[in-house]
Amino acid sequence: MLVRILAIESSCDETAAAVVQDGRKVLSNVVASQEEHKLYGGVVPEIASRRHIEVISQITKQALSLSKCELQGIDAVAVTDAPGLIGSLLVGVNFAKGLALSANLPLIPVHHLRSHIAANYITHPELTPPFLCLVVSGGHSHIIEVEDYTGLKVLGQTRDDAAGEAFDKAARTMKMPYPGGVHLDKAAERGNANAYKLPRPTVQGSEYDFSFSGLKTAVINRLHNAEQKGEHINVENMAASFRAAVVDCLMENFVKAAQNLGYTKLAAAGGVSANLLLRRRLFEECKKRGWQAYIPGLALCGDNAAMVGAQAYYEYQKGNVATMSLNAVATLNIDTLS
Ligand code: KG4
Ligand code: ZN
């Protein structure tokens, strides 16, 4: 029997709803991005929660109507319950609880990073665990062993800034609009990655962990010093040099982890997996070694609800269903169930 899940995502500044069939087939996928945060150069949590409240029921209605199944055709409601901005998460969780209760449907809580990984199941229907996944977003940089759909283990993670955060801060110093990662990526495509020398920090004694704050500070200091001295900096070259340094750090540990643990299927996920250099490098490194590379299609890299519906299918099969006492949680390990 087909399982159709209505999924809701509101962990940061995207309000999203989707209907996904059997974890892999997207029947509808609606995402509303909040543009207002651009004015402030970052997400303002209070504004984010308010905007979620304003649009969540309209977005959900749209997702239901585009999927051609009304609420009667839905088997379960899924929602991102952790991690994220607590006020934002609460809007989605409470909306989903109300919907599940009124329609008498099971409620499935989904971990945000698990759902980012599951975006790969939509783009690559042939992908099945076990595989190794690099999850890189605005708040996380993790190397994760996906042992099975609901059994995940953190192998390495950032000790300070997430890769997306470093991209955004570097981009801001280069006077690019928020969120700057995508703008920096575009500028980097036209630049020379060898133009500026930047460090590739490692974490002593933890071969799979990352550290991006030193690299971020190096680029910010370089730009500020140049400004003070009136020295010209080629932004495209600086963007390319910075991007290459971040991607080198990520790929170095990721490939080492795969080699050491014997993984031959490597996936990437999260907002930063939209990065063009990271995408090329993952495919190149895998091709060299006869490994398989998986990355979600560009539209599924950032926050969306289709990926929540994909992961929810496997959580549901495993019996991970919540009661009406489900609460949102701002921080939660990927290997802990809600
Ligand atoms: O997964 P996501 O949409 O939200 C979080 O869960 O954090 O990730 C957002 C992050 C932002 O830092 C954004 O700048 C970054 O992903 N990002 C990129 C690119 N597209 C989005 N970073 C580098 N290159 C890109 N093309
Ligand atoms: Zn995300």
Side-chain angles (χ1 to χ4, degrees), residues 77-100:
V77 177
V79 66
T80 310
D81 67 328
L85 297 173
I86 192 67
S88 290
L89 286 166
L90 278 166
V91 176
V93 166
N94 283 302
F95 184 81
K97 276 162 81 168
L99 201 58

Side-chain angles (χ1 to χ4, degrees), residues 21-213:
Q21 184 172 297
D22 289 344
R24 305 261 174 171
K25 189 170 177 202
V26 179
L27 301 184
S28 66
N29 185 21
V30 184
V31 183
S33 296
Q34 302 175 356
E35 299 297 321
E36 205 173 334
H37 304 290
K38 286 197 168 90
L39 290 172
Y40 307 96
V43 178
V44 183
E46 167 72 16
I47 295 177
S49 323
R50 285 174 185 271
R51 297 295 167 265
H52 284 309
I53 290 174
E54 285 164 12
V55 302
I56 199 161
S57 64
Q58 194 52 37
I59 296 297
T60 307
K61 261 193 193 161
Q62 256 185 47
L64 279 172
S65 120
L66 288 170
S67 73
K68 304 262 188 300
C69 30
E70 291 311 312
L71 208 46
Q72 298 88 289
I74 297 294
D75 301 292
V77 177
V79 66
T80 310
D81 67 328
L85 297 173
I86 192 67
S88 290
L89 286 166
L90 278 166
V91 176
V93 166
N94 283 302
F95 184 81
K97 276 162 81 168
L99 201 58
L101 182 68
S102 61
N104 198 23
L105 291 171
L107 177 66
I108 309 165
V110 178
H111 188 286
H112 186 58
L113 296 189
R114 289 189 184 204
S115 68
H116 269 303
I117 296 169
N120 278 293
Y121 303 140
I122 298 169
T123 304
H124 306 284
E126 75 285 10
L127 175 63
T128 53
F131 59 91
L132 196 65
C133 191
L134 178 69
V135 186
V136 271
S137 69
H140 299 85
S141 302
H142 280 26
I143 296 176
I144 289 170
E145 287 188 83
V146 185
E147 291 174 340
D148 63 53
Y149 291 105
T150 55
L152 301 96
K153 219 158 74 191
V154 178
L155 204 60
Q157 58 189 300
T158 182
R159 292 295 184 96
D160 38 59
D161 291 354
E165 203 178 341
F167 268 117
D168 292 343
K169 286 186 181 151
R172 188 175 176 166
T173 316
M174 294 178 206
K175 306 200 171 23
M176 295 169 183
Y178 180 86
V182 63
H183 301 287
L184 192 151
D185 192 20
K186 277 188 190 148
E189 287 291 290
R190 301 185 295 268
N192 169 10
N194 299 314
Y196 297 99
K197 254 196 154 33
L198 291 171
R200 266 81 174 147
T202 53
V203 178
Q204 284 290 312
S206 299
E207 55 180 346
Y208 307 135
D209 281 352
F210 304 108
S211 170
F212 292 111
S213 78

Side-chain angles (χ1 to χ4, degrees), residues 258-329:
Q259 254 157 358
N260 291 351
L261 281 94
Y263 282 96
T264 57
K265 292 199 276 185
L266 273 67
V272 181
S273 66
N275 188 269
L276 298 171
L277 180 64
L278 180 63
R279 297 172 83 88
R280 290 196 292 267
R281 276 288 297 281
L282 181 60
F283 280 105
E284 279 164 23
E285 299 290 342
C286 285
K287 197 172 167 199
K288 261 196 257 174
R289 297 172 173 83
W291 298 348
Q292 295 300 311
Y294 304 90
I295 312 183
L298 280 177
L300 293 173
C301 290
D303 293 343
N304 65 85
M307 65 186 194
V308 179
Q311 181 61 24
Y313 175 72
Y314 298 103
E315 301 287 350
Y316 190 36
Q317 283 194 330
K318 188 83 187 165
N320 296 337
V321 174
T323 65
M324 280 299 133
S325 63
L326 178 69
N327 204 350
V329 182

